Amino acid sequence: MARTKIETRCVVDKLKVCYKQPADLISWLIKQGGIVDDTKDAYIDCGDFTLKLISKEGKDENYTQLVFDVIIPADSYSKLGTFTFNNSSKYEGLCFFDFENSALYTIFSKAYDKTNNNYQGLLFFVASTLGLVYNNITQVDIALDTTRNYIKHLRNYIHKWNEYDMYLNGHIVKDPNATLEHYGEYYSRSREAMSKQPTLYFCQSKDVGLRMRVYNKSKELEEQSTDKASRYEEYMEFTTSNPVYRVEVEIKNVDIKLFHSLWKERYGDEDKENILSLLMLEDFNAQLWKWATDRLVYFRDLKSKEYIYLADIL
C-alpha cells in the first residue's frame, strides 16, 4: 500500500516588532488626530494606510501611551496590525507593532518558491512612512503544520523509554518514572467526554524561555469561524484532506538574539532589518524552528546511538 503523501508548511503565526520612534511622534499623532481627553475615535490619513485610534493612557494631552490600528486598503483584508506608541520612562522612545493574525494568513503575492506571501512586507513601508527605526523582534511564533499525526509519533518516542533516551532542555531524563517538569499533556473535554488526543506542552524554566505546543490544528479550525478556516486553507494550500497537526514554538527576543549571534556570518547584523525580512522566507522559518525545537526536546536511539530531532519525525 502506497504511503500517504506528507505535506508540511512552516509559517509565522505571531510577530511582535519593536521600533525606535521619533521624539516628536506622539505630539504629531495628537495633532493630526485632533486627540483630546474625550476623544473616542480618531483617524489619521497617511496616504496608503490609515491609523485608527483604539485607546490612550494619560490626560491633558500628556499621554503616556497611544494605541492605533493600521488599516490598509484591500479587497479581502483591511487590518494589518496594531501599534502601541509610548511616552513613558519604561519604554521611552520605543513603540511596538503586533501583526493581526489574519494578515499573516492572507495572500499578498507569490514567493520565489511558489509559496504564498502574506502581508508582512507592508510593515516596512508603514514604518518608513512614520519615521520609525527597527530595534528588534520582541516575539515570533513559528508554526510547523504537517499532515503527519505528529502527536502520535512524538508521544511514541516519549513513552518508549526502553528504546530511546529523552533529552529535555539539553538534559537527559534518567528516571522514566520521574515527573517531567517541563513537559505536560493537556486533555480538553466536554461534560460528557474527554478528547481522544492531548495537546503537548514543552517549556524552559526561565520566564522568557522557549515554549512549544503540539496540537491538532484541524480540530482548532473546526471550532473557529468559517472565514478564518477558509483563509487558512487558501493560504496553506494543502492538497490532501488529512488532518493537520501543528508544532508551534514561541521565541522571545533573548533567544532571537542568541540565534542570530550563532548565525551572524550567514544572516548579517542583527540591528538591521534583515532578520525581519528573512521571516518572510519559509526556508528561514524552518531553520529557526529547528534550532528552537532542538533546544527543547530530542531523543537518542539506544540501539543505533543516533540522535532524533523533531525535524526527523516528519
Side-chain angles (χ1 to χ4, degrees), residues 75-297:
D75 294 334
S76 60
Y77 186 73
S78 60
K79 183 179 174 182
L80 183 65
T82 303
F83 266 118
T84 301
F85 300 104
N86 296 290
N87 187 29
S88 63
S89 57
K90 183 177 181 180
Y91 296 116
E92 184 176 2
L94 298 176
C95 65
F96 299 89
F97 182 82
D98 288 276
F99 269 97
E100 181 76 1
N101 183 260
S102 296
L104 299 173
Y105 291 95
T106 301
I107 300 173
F108 182 74
S109 64
K110 287 286 184 180
Y112 73 95
D113 58 358
K114 297 184 180 180
T115 56
N116 293 321
N117 273 332
N118 58 25
Y119 278 74
Q120 280 177 246
L122 292 186
L123 180 59
F124 294 98
F125 170 74
V126 173
S128 176
T129 301
L130 297 174
L132 307 178
V133 177
Y134 172 79
N135 187 49
N136 62 47
I137 293 171
T138 305
Q139 179 180 331
V140 61
D141 292 4
I142 304 293
L144 184 140
D145 287 6
T146 176
T147 53
R148 177 180 288 278
N149 189 334
Y150 215 95
I151 296 175
K152 172 185 174 182
H153 289 281
L154 182 52
R155 292 181 81 214
N156 280 341
Y157 283 104
I158 294 170
H159 295 164
K160 292 181 178 180
W161 58 268
N162 57 338
E163 296 181 33
Y164 304 99
D165 280 333
M166 180 180 181
Y167 293 79
L168 273 176
N169 297 322
H171 301 287
I172 190 171
V173 179
K174 296 181 179 180
D175 182 359
N177 293 308
T179 300
L180 301 177
E181 182 180 357
H182 299 118
Y183 169 72
E185 299 182 354
Y186 172 78
Y187 288 84
S188 60
R189 65 166 301 137
S190 64
R191 293 181 64 184
E192 184 177 351
M194 181 180 290
S195 61
K196 294 181 179 180
Q197 278 190 324
T199 295
L200 314 183
Y201 289 92
F202 297 82
C203 70
Q204 294 181 322
S205 56
K206 53 187 180 180
D207 292 338
V208 294
L210 298 167
R211 297 178 183 277
M212 184 172 68
R213 184 165 61 119
V214 186
Y215 61 99
N216 187 322
K217 180 64 178 177
S218 291
K219 183 178 178 181
E220 181 190 65
L221 290 170
E222 289 174 0
E223 299 169 354
Q224 295 177 339
S225 69
T226 302
D227 288 345
K228 186 166 185 177
S230 298
R231 184 184 298 112
Y232 171 88
E233 291 169 2
E234 181 181 6
Y235 182 76
M236 300 298 280
E237 292 187 327
F238 286 125
T239 60
T240 68
S241 58
N242 294 335
V244 175
Y245 294 85
R246 168 165 287 191
V247 185
E248 181 179 287
V249 60
E250 176 186 300
I251 310 170
K252 297 289 184 66
N253 177 252
V254 62
D255 282 300
I256 294 170
K257 286 185 174 181
L258 177 59
F259 172 80
H260 199 278
S261 69
L262 298 173
W263 295 83
K264 187 174 182 179
E265 184 176 337
R266 179 173 181 178
Y267 295 125
D269 296 331
E270 193 271 338
D271 60 347
K272 297 180 180 178
E273 289 180 304
N274 62 324
I275 197 165
L276 189 57
S277 300
L278 289 167
L279 285 170
M280 296 170 62
L281 303 177
E282 191 159 341
D283 289 347
F284 178 80
N285 294 339
Q287 184 67 46
L288 181 57
W289 178 90
K290 185 180 186 310
W291 175 83
T293 58
D294 285 355
R295 294 180 62 206
L296 284 165
V297 60

